[in-house]
């Protein structure tokens, strides 16, 4: 999603990274074109991913699938070898689906605010964990929680602290 906070760090303009945003609802035509192209480009993987998404019975997942075709095309065009998403919610859903379509492996970083949301289904989180190459999280507590959901794949969950030790010396 596009950032909408007008505040930013003063060093941000010096960054040279190109940013590309996944088309949103206002660009539905572009998403539909990406889906038509994905059908031709990715064939069976695309159809399997559609069948999976339809079998889940969640309209929001179908929207993420539409968005994931854009990511799958960009990954192929840019010769990306790995996708990574921050947050276990919508970004991980898009990355997971794009991975299934394109064959490019993916991972995601899980934080407390996303994995402990009441609306995040444990079943959906388990599926994302199952499909991911690895999952990073920011605390030992989160790691233990995700490992219990990982159904036999707890080694996929790694902890990478996010922050600094206080007080600084």
């Amino acid at each position: 999603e596009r950032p909408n906070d007008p505040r930013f760090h003063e060093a941000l303009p010096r960054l040279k990274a190109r940013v590309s945003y996944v088309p949103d609802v206002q660009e539905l035509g572009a998403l539909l074109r990406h889906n038509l192209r994905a059908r031709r480009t990715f064939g069976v993987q695309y159809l399997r991913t559609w069948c999976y998404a339809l079998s889940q019975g969640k309209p929001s997942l179908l929207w993420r699938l539409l968005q994931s075709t854009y990511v799958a095309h960009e990954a192929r065009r840019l010769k990306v070898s790995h996708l990574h998403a921050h947050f276990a919610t919508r970004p991980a859903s898009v990355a997971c689906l794009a991975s299934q379509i394109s064959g490019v492996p993916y991972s995601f970083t899980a934080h407390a605010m996303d994995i402990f949301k009441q609306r995040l289904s444990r079943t959906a989180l388990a599926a994302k964990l199952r499909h991911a190459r690895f999952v990073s999280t920011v605390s030992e507590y989160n790691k233990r929680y995700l490992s219990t959901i990982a159904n036999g794949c707890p080694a996929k969950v790694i902890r990478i602290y996010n922050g600094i030790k206080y007080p600084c010396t």
Side-chain angles (χ1 to χ4, degrees):
E1 294 180 14
R2 297 174 198 267
N4 59 6
D5 189 338
R7 300 169 296 165
F8 59 89
H9 192 276
E10 70 261 4
L12 187 63
R14 294 194 310 261
L15 291 176
K16 301 295 182 200
R18 186 174 72 83
V19 176
S20 174
Y21 293 102
V22 174
D24 205 347
V25 69
Q26 296 86 355
E27 301 161 289
L28 182 59
L31 284 176
L32 293 175
R33 285 190 297 281
H34 280 288
N35 272 269
L36 290 173
R37 192 166 18 141
R39 170 68 176 94
R40 291 188 304 272
T41 304
F42 299 107
V44 173
Q45 293 146 274
Y46 173 81
L47 291 174
R48 281 188 190 140
T49 307
W50 262 101
C51 288
Y52 166 77
L54 286 169
S55 75
Q56 300 306 300
K58 297 179 181 174
S60 62
L61 190 60
L62 296 177
W63 174 247
R64 300 294 165 230
L65 179 59
L66 287 174
Q67 293 179 312
S68 72
T69 59
Y70 174 81
V71 175
H73 279 292
E74 284 295 285
R76 175 175 255 194
R77 184 179 71 79
L78 297 170
K79 297 179 174 66
V80 170
S81 60
H82 187 90
L83 300 169
H84 185 80
H86 264 275
F87 300 110
T89 51
R90 295 177 297 215
S93 295
V94 171
C96 182
L97 294 167
S99 174
Q100 290 178 44
I101 291 169
S102 67
V104 174
Y106 91 102
S107 57
F108 63 93
T109 299
H111 300 269
M113 64 83 62
D114 54 335
I115 61 176
F116 297 117
K117 276 186 165 182
Q118 290 181 359
R119 294 185 318 169
L120 181 60
S121 155
R122 282 178 63 107
T123 304
L125 183 56
K128 292 173 196 179
L129 282 157
R130 190 172 47 256
H131 290 288
R133 179 177 273 175
F134 68 89
V135 175
S136 64
T137 190
V138 298
S139 73
E140 194 60 37
Y141 184 84
N142 291 0
K143 180 181 177 185
R144 282 192 306 272
Y145 174 75
L146 291 168
S147 294
T148 63
I149 296 172
N151 294 334
C153 301
K156 281 187 175 184
V157 183
I158 60 173
R159 184 208 68 236
I160 301 174
Y161 287 124
N162 186 8
I164 57 174
K165 193 173 183 178
Y166 185 80
C168 298
T169 55

